[in-house]
């Protein structure tokens, strides 16, 4: 039996990305993303909400893009998988665990905040190794020849 480890979240960054570079030149970006669930309590009719915080790790080119374009409050769509890290705390000697999302794909949503001056367009979606090209707009439809069918009454019963 196969298994699936897939995570998809849409949320807002809780703080600016933390970037680190390794001696090899590879980069890692860590962010926390908040997702909020909203509902109305059936008994009281009161609006309620619960916010969940997710640790997300971006590697390579995707980390560079995150560091360049995302800031606290940025809304993003992230796809990835769950990873749990284990280490021993140096101060107490206890084993610690952290579960985080290893991002494979990221899409910037909404307008870019604090980005380039006068530029309100969000960049194209970014994937693990490279940014994807911007989507092309559909060509304009060709004008129809006047055949008389366009002027027909729409009262046909079927």
């Amino acid at each position: 039996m196969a298994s699936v480890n897939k995570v998809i979240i849409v949320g807002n960054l809780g703080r600016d990305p933390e970037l680190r570079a390794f001696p090899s030149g590879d980069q890692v970006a860590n962010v926390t993303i908040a997702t909020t669930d909203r509902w109305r309590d059936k008994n009281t009719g009161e609006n309620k909400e619960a916010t969940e915080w997710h640790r997300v790790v971006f590697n390579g080119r995707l980390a560079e893009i995150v560091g360049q374009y995302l800031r606290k409050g940025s809304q993003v769509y992230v796809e990835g998988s769950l990873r749990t890290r284990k280490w021993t705390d140096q101060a107490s000697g206890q084993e610690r665990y952290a579960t985080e999302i290893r991002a494979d794909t990221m899409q910037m949503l909404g307008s870019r905040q604090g980005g380039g001056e006068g530029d309100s367009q969000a960049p194209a979606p970014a994937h693990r190794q490279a940014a994807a090209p911007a989507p092309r707009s559909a060509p304009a439809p060709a004008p129809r020849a006047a055949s008389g069918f366009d002027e027909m009454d729409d009262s046909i019963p079927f």
Side-chain angles (χ1 to χ4, degrees):
M1 183 69 156
S3 62
V4 177
N5 182 356
K6 180 82 170 179
V7 176
I8 299 174
I9 62 171
V10 174
N12 296 76
L13 269 66
R15 62 176 188 253
D16 288 348
E18 293 177 11
L19 266 86
R20 290 193 315 264
F22 293 106
S24 65
D26 289 339
Q27 288 192 343
V28 173
N30 293 307
V31 300
T32 55
I33 297 177
T35 56
T36 303
D37 188 20
R38 292 181 176 87
W39 71 95
R40 182 178 297 271
D41 187 293
K42 291 180 181 179
N43 297 327
T44 64
E46 181 182 352
N47 289 331
K48 298 212 172 203
E49 69 177 40
T51 300
E52 188 73 31
W53 290 93
H54 311 274
R55 296 178 184 190
V56 183
V57 178
F58 299 92
N59 293 298
R61 177 73 178 125
L62 198 52
E64 293 175 34
I65 293 167
V66 165
Q68 185 176 2
Y69 292 107
L70 298 184
R71 296 289 171 257
K72 178 180 179 178
S74 297
Q75 188 177 37
V76 293
Y77 167 93
V78 175
E79 286 185 30
S81 57
L82 288 178
R83 296 285 193 257
T84 301
R85 293 185 296 116
K86 175 182 167 184
W87 73 95
T88 303
D89 187 350
Q90 298 295 328
S92 66
Q94 290 184 322
E95 289 186 347
R96 302 281 185 187
Y97 296 89
T99 300
E100 53 201 15
I101 298 168
R102 181 193 285 171
D104 295 324
T105 303
M106 182 270 297
Q107 169 74 47
M108 293 170 258
L109 305 173
S111 63
R112 192 166 61 180
Q113 297 176 348
E117 293 182 28
D119 184 8
S120 63
Q121 287 289 91
H127 298 285
R128 173 163 257 177
Q129 295 301 324
R136 287 180 265 168
S137 60
R144 293 179 140 184
S147 62
F149 288 109
D150 292 335
E151 289 90 305
M152 290 186 117
D153 191 357
D154 286 340
S155 62
I156 298 173
F158 53 89

